[in-house]
Every structure is written in C-alpha cells, then in structure tokens.
Amino acid sequence: MFVDRVKIHIKGGNGGNGMVSFYRAKYITHGGPDGGDGGKGGSVIFVGDEGMNTLVDFRYKRVFKAQNGGDGEKRNCFGKDGQDIIVRVPVGTVIREAESGKVMADISKAGEEKTLIFGGKGGKGNQHFATPTRQAPRYAERGRIAKEYDVILELKLIADVGLIGFPNVGKSTLLSMVTNANPKIANYHFTTLSPNLGVVQGRFGDSFVLADIPGLVEGASEGVGLGHEFLRHVERTKVFIHVVDAAGVEGDDPVENIRKINHELEEYNPELLKRPQVIAANKTDIPEAAENVVRLKETYEKEGYKVYPISAATNKGLDELLSAVAMILKDYPEDIIFAEDYEEYDEVAVDVDPFTIEEVEDGYFVVTGVGVEKMIGYTNIDTEKGFAFFQKYLKEKGIIEALEEKGIEQGETVRIYDLEFEFWK
C-alpha cells in the first residue's frame, strides 16, 4: 500500500525531578543538603531510511514518546537519563507542524538525522540552592516538561525528472521503455494509482531518477480526481517531461491539454512553472498526430518549451528526448530542499494559566505554574528574540504586576524554575 501523508503525535521525555534530601550519618545530626539532580529526558529523532518508500507503517502506530528522565536521589546521585526514540521515515519526507502547516524538518538524504524535540532538562536537587544564608533549602526543581506536537508527515518523492500529463497519454509506457520500472499499463484512465520511479542509465549523460506522477486532471489542484493526492510529488522535481497524446485518440485537443495541466501546476504552486519543462508529443506512430505536432511546436516553442515528437510504444524519438533532459540536469545540479520555517516561539501563547508567587525568604521570590514552566522550557533566553519574548510574557501574563503586589523591591531576586535574576523595572 502506498501511503504518502499521515498525522502522528510525538513527545519528548520529561526531565526527572530534583531531590530534596539531607545527609544523615552516625554522629552527624545536621548534614547538609545532598539531593541529586534529575536525569535528562529522551529526545525524538527522525532518521532518513533509504529502505522505506511509503509511510504505511505510521497507519498502525501514531504516537511516539521518548522516555522520561529518572528523579534525582540521595547522596548527590543523578537520576537516569531517558532513552531517545528514533523515528525512521522514507527519504524525501517533509515534517510539518499540524496546526500551522509550517515546515519543521525535511529529511532529504539517507541517514540524515533531525532532532525535532530535545528531552526536558532534569531538575536540580536542593544541594544547588544552599547559600551562606540559606543552608538547608527544602525545595528542589521539577524536571522540565518536554515539548509535544501533532505533526504531518508528507512523502515527496526524490526524483530528478517528473512525467506529467493527463491520464492515458503514455507516461507509464514511456517510463517502462527507458527504465527497469514495471508499471501497470492499460488502456483506461487512472491505471496508475501511485507514483512509480525508475532510473535512466547514463548513456544520455549522468544517470537520473524518473518519476511517473499519476492522477493529474483538470481541477487536480482543487482535489478533483487523484491529482490533489499526488501533486505534492512534483515539488522536488527539477525538470518536467510533459507527455501529451499528439494523436488526440480520445478526441481532445493536445494543445489545450498542456495549458490545462500547466494551469493546475500553477494553482498548486506557482514556483513549479519556473522549472524547466519539455513537451513529449507522444503516439506519433499514428498518422493523425502529424498535424498536432506542428500545432504544438507553433504554439509552445515560442514560449520556450521545446517539443519532441516521440512514440513510447516503438521507441521513436526517446534518445533525443532523454539527451535533452540530461543536458538540462547538468545545469540544474542542486537538490530541492524545503526550508524550515517553524519557530519555537510560535507555539508558546500568553495564556491565563494560574501561577503562584511565594516569598520563600526575605527578598527572594519563587514563581511557579504550568504555563510559566512551559514557557521557560520552550524559550531560549540566551538569544535576543528569546529574551524579548520572555520579557513580553512576564508583562502580559501579569507576573510583573503580581510581584509588585507581593512587595518586591528593585534588585531583589526572582526565581522561575532554574532561571534566577534580579528584579529591575
């Protein structure tokens, strides 16, 4: 079964909690704090697997969770780190955040690894909070809660050249004649129900991967026919071979058919029409094709599309067509990669989750709460953008106002989980 789009849920492992503990031994009645730190949670790592060519396995398992870190222990013992979870996907898989649709990662090479979620940091044990004036701290940090997402996996085939065109124009026949692929071929629409790949060997230059993209009909970009399901597979394609039935066997106009398919490409993604495209006028072994080949050349060669008369069934013109495509590929060497555009700050909303502020000792305030903990765990304070978001969060959440109501003064200390800073307004 060919499956090229699935939705799954992924979650990193939470960090283990720090330990509150004090050293106890014979003849020692007031040992100092010795609570150990919690272990780091496991990460979620995606890996490109060249042995996979479909996402069908994700139909049966949709939730992937890394292991939580262990809690800290007495005598300064660290908790055990959680195990990472490795999610293997086919090469060419694009991972999108489900709600926004933004790209989080593009697995475009075999063995490529992308860590989508890092495990939560372990909380610090109470030994870290001892000071000359606070020698017996009775609190420790909780482990950081790791991120979790619903994500969409989209398989976009890695192919150098794509065969596009209406059903039953000879794309599968052409693929079978120039590669070792064995697609299903029959004289009716939608014989091909999933993309087929084949490798064209190097007598036309370097070898390249050729894909038969099925299901393109008028209205495909709006979900008509099978095109909406398979248009995504043309997005990595560097060159298009636009196959058209020059004989008009089914009574339609080949000149208009090219316009219709190109319109669907433009509606789906305008960038696709900027890529090189050649026209393969197929079925020229039928006498009625001659007049249409002339019309195709008159119409499209002035627009920059080279027209090659071919007969896929008899091998006529295929060498010339593939040689031209190989020459185009030499000038188009770079791979098509989808840029990551999802940022961690997109996911942290300023909400109304409750928080608490406690003055644990004179001039030392501790802020806790689910929303605050999540914000600290997701935000990199060391970056300019992260620090600006942190300041905005404290203000809009009402934490600054609440601290002032508690009587905080300039220069006094605020602690939000493992972040400690002086209060200045």
Side-chain angles (χ1 to χ4, degrees):
M1 181 186 296
F2 182 79
V3 177
D4 59 358
R5 191 174 192 273
V6 294
K7 181 178 181 180
I8 64 172
H9 184 80
I10 57 175
K11 186 184 186 308
N14 297 333
N17 296 324
M19 180 74 175
V20 176
S21 173
F22 296 93
Y23 182 71
R24 293 289 182 267
K26 191 174 183 180
Y27 306 121
I28 299 177
T29 57
H30 297 290
D34 68 349
D37 299 349
K40 176 180 175 293
S43 299
V44 180
I45 304 171
F46 282 78
V47 179
D49 187 338
E50 61 184 347
M52 299 176 66
N53 55 19
T54 175
L55 298 172
V56 67
D57 291 346
F58 296 95
R59 283 275 181 93
Y60 310 108
K61 182 180 180 182
R62 294 180 178 268
V63 178
F64 296 83
K65 293 182 178 180
Q67 188 179 37
N68 293 336
D71 292 342
E73 300 180 11
K74 298 179 179 180
R75 305 211 173 185
N76 302 324
C77 291
F78 286 83
K80 184 179 179 181
D81 288 345
Q83 286 188 340
D84 298 335
I85 185 168
I86 306 296
V87 184
R88 297 191 175 276
V89 295
V91 176
T93 300
V94 175
I95 305 167
R96 298 181 184 273
E97 196 274 327
E99 185 174 348
S100 67
K102 293 185 176 180
V103 175
M104 303 179 77
D106 182 3
I107 310 297
S108 59
K109 295 182 177 66
E112 181 179 6
E113 294 187 2
K114 294 275 187 173
T115 302
L116 230 62
I117 300 177
F118 288 95
K121 294 168 86 174
K124 293 179 180 178
N126 67 334
Q127 58 169 311
H128 293 279
F129 304 106
T131 68
T133 57
R134 186 175 61 246
Q135 298 181 9
R138 296 187 177 276
Y139 59 89
E141 282 182 346
R142 291 175 55 191
R144 293 273 187 90
I145 296 175
K147 302 178 187 179
E148 58 183 304
Y149 300 102
D150 286 328
V151 296
I152 302 293
L153 306 183
E154 288 184 348
L155 176 57
K156 300 177 188 289
L157 294 179
I158 304 289
D160 301 302
V161 181
L163 296 172
I164 60 173
F166 274 89
N168 211 25
V169 296
K171 300 191 298 295
S172 295
T173 302
L174 175 57
L175 181 70
S176 68
M177 295 298 283
V178 300
T179 73
N180 289 327
N182 294 301
K184 184 178 179 181
I185 300 172
N187 188 29
Y188 55 88
H189 284 190
F190 301 124
T191 309
T192 307
L193 297 177
S194 63
N196 290 303
L197 291 174
V199 178
V200 178
Q201 295 301 330
R203 69 183 188 276
F204 309 107
D206 293 333
S207 299
F208 58 85
V209 178
L210 181 64
D212 172 13
I213 310 298
L216 300 189
V217 296
E218 191 171 8
S221 60
E222 300 173 0
V224 175
L226 302 177
H228 189 68
E229 295 297 319
F230 296 114
L231 269 167
R232 69 176 63 97
H233 295 293
V234 305
E235 291 188 272
R236 288 192 196 274
T237 303
K238 300 174 184 178
V239 181
F240 295 126
I241 298 177
H242 198 147
V243 185
V244 63
D245 176 6
V249 171
E250 299 190 5
D252 47 3
D253 184 359
V255 174
E256 281 304 308
N257 283 353
I258 289 177
R259 293 258 187 243
K260 290 174 181 177
I261 292 295
N262 281 346
H263 175 73
E264 297 306 321
L265 294 179
E266 185 176 27
E267 287 294 302
Y268 182 75
N269 183 351
E271 291 296 316
L272 296 177
L273 280 190
K274 298 178 182 179
R275 298 185 191 163
Q277 182 178 141
V278 298
I279 296 172
N282 195 23
K283 303 186 182 180
T284 55
D285 52 312
I286 301 174
E288 289 79 0
E291 181 181 344
N292 285 330
V293 169
V294 173
R295 292 177 58 227
L296 287 166
K297 288 187 175 184
E298 290 176 347
T299 304
Y300 290 109
E301 289 198 342
K302 63 186 179 184
E303 297 182 16
Y305 298 115
K306 182 69 174 175
V307 178
Y308 293 90
I310 68 166
S311 171
T314 65
N315 261 331
K316 174 186 173 184
L318 298 188
D319 283 0
E320 184 182 3
L321 171 66
L322 296 177
S323 294
V325 170
M327 290 300 294
I328 294 172
L329 286 173
K330 283 186 177 180
D331 298 326
Y332 202 134
E334 67 271 16
D335 293 327
I336 297 171
I337 306 298
F338 290 81
E340 299 173 12
D341 56 4
Y342 185 79
E343 296 188 8
E344 62 179 5
Y345 309 109
D346 296 340
E347 72 205 36
V348 187
V350 178
D351 50 34
V352 292
D353 287 342
F355 60 88
T356 60
I357 298 177
E358 181 182 3
E359 187 174 9
V360 295
E361 60 183 54
D362 189 33
Y364 191 88
F365 296 79
V366 176
V367 181
T368 57
V370 174
V372 181
E373 183 178 16
K374 186 176 179 181
M375 181 273 298
I376 289 293
Y378 288 7
T379 306
N380 184 359
I381 307 297
D382 295 332
T383 66
E384 182 179 349
K385 188 171 182 179
F387 185 69
F389 177 82
F390 170 69
Q391 291 179 308
K392 176 184 175 186
Y393 186 94
L394 295 183
K395 183 177 179 181
E396 295 188 8
K397 178 83 172 176
I399 293 174
I400 299 295
E401 184 179 352
L403 284 167
E404 291 175 332
E405 290 175 357
K406 282 280 188 179
I408 194 170
E409 300 290 342
Q410 302 272 15
E412 292 184 333
T413 303
V414 178
R415 183 172 193 85
I416 304 178
Y417 294 94
D418 62 347
L419 178 66
E420 190 170 291
F421 58 93
E422 291 184 349
F423 180 83
W424 297 98
K425 187 174 180 182

